[in-house]
Amino acid sequence: MSVLVLGGAGYIGSHMVATLLAAKRDVVVVDNLLTGHRSSVPEGVPFYEVDIRDKAALTEVFEKEHIDQVVHFAASSIVPESVEQPLKYFNNNVYGMINLLEVMLDFDVKQIVFSSTAATYGVAKENPIKETTPQNPINPYGESKLQMEHIMKWADQAYGLKWVALRYFNVAGAKTDGSIGEDHPTETHLVPIILQTALGKREKIMMFGDDYNTPDGFNVRDYVHVMDLADAHVLALDYLAKGNDSNQFNLGSANGFSVKQMVEAAREATGKEIPAEIGPRRAGDPDSLVASSAKAREVLGWEPKYDDVKEIIRTAWNWLQKHPNGYEDR
Ligand code: UDP
């Protein structure tokens, strides 16, 4: 019984692999290494450097390995980049999903846990956001992930493919031992940028916009720890293995923090000054994205362990202090 982790050398994927191994599951990793790191995948785990759009190569993986379930992280995920290069997002994410599902069905593999996103909700009509809140993405990244959800829905209807979409809010933090963490070729995410500033690798953090419709004017997001997120994926795999129906769940903490509050929390967590400046708004950013994860708690039995944003930041800080240059330092 093997779980295929697509994108298993990436930030969230590598934490998923670690969690599956700790749970004594057999794991196979596929990653094209465009943004992932080979050294984040432990030795002994079967690894294939394959792009999910390459059908022949993906088919070979399914021929060689006995795959029972799939977890799919292999997608482009940077909001501003998606605004500038929408076709890249539809090609990699949407076409990649079609290709993957075709290969899965060729091998009669019919269970997939999929990393969806809060960005599918766009400017949400209600906060906290529930799974029933209408999805109206305002950037190509969110749109591509929503299309991927829809593709799975129709594949379920036609072929009985069972799927769980986990709609992540803002993922942050690292494995507590600091052995793996977040390291993107071009960093755009708030927490690593704040911490690189704390480390002196950046002069300052630019806070994008102070005129949003939020209590302090800064964008509000809901930060969830990457290991809690990985736990939810294992629960979702087990949910599917038990023969349950396709479903979707928000994964967040129900607590919103503004960009300014995050900088302040990081100052406390690190004891560093962290110079910050206010800059213009970034394209494609909704005011506020906060999750209700009540459904994941009730149906999956998910119990996130990190409810303090400073703790989340501390784990990311631990990784960065041990690896100031990311995976280059491993
Ligand atoms: N952000 C910021 N400065 C940065 C990077 C991000 O102010 O250098 C803000 C961004 O506008 C958003 C929040 O931090 O409100 C989280 O952005 P991130 O890119 O980490 O995740 P996203 O919400 O886009 O998935």
Side-chain angles (χ1 to χ4, degrees), residues 17-30:
V17 170
T19 301
L20 285 167
L21 293 175
K24 305 267 178 268
R25 313 281 173 107
D26 290 324
V27 182
V28 176
V29 171
V30 161

Side-chain angles (χ1 to χ4, degrees), residues 77-80 117 119 141 169-171 187-194 202 205-209 212 218-221 223 259 281-282 285-287 289:
S77 62
I78 299 171
V79 169
T117 170
Y141 166 60
F169 284 62
N170 285 63
V171 189
E187 195 51 75
T188 61
H189 293 106
L190 183 65
V191 170
I193 288 180
I194 291 176
R202 289 173 191 261
I205 155 95
M206 193 62 88
M207 302 189 288
F208 298 142
Y212 283 96
F218 293 87
N219 260 200
V220 170
R221 296 286 179 272
Y223 294 85
V259 172
R281 285 184 176 210
R282 190 177 73 172
D285 267 343
D287 301 277
L289 288 169

Side-chain angles (χ1 to χ4, degrees), residues 65 87 184 289-290:
E65 306 287 346
L87 299 184
H184 300 113
L289 288 169
V290 180

Side-chain angles (χ1 to χ4, degrees), residues 74-87:
S76 305
S77 62
I78 299 171
V79 169
E81 184 189 58
S82 81
V83 176
E84 280 158 26
Q85 301 178 54
L87 299 184

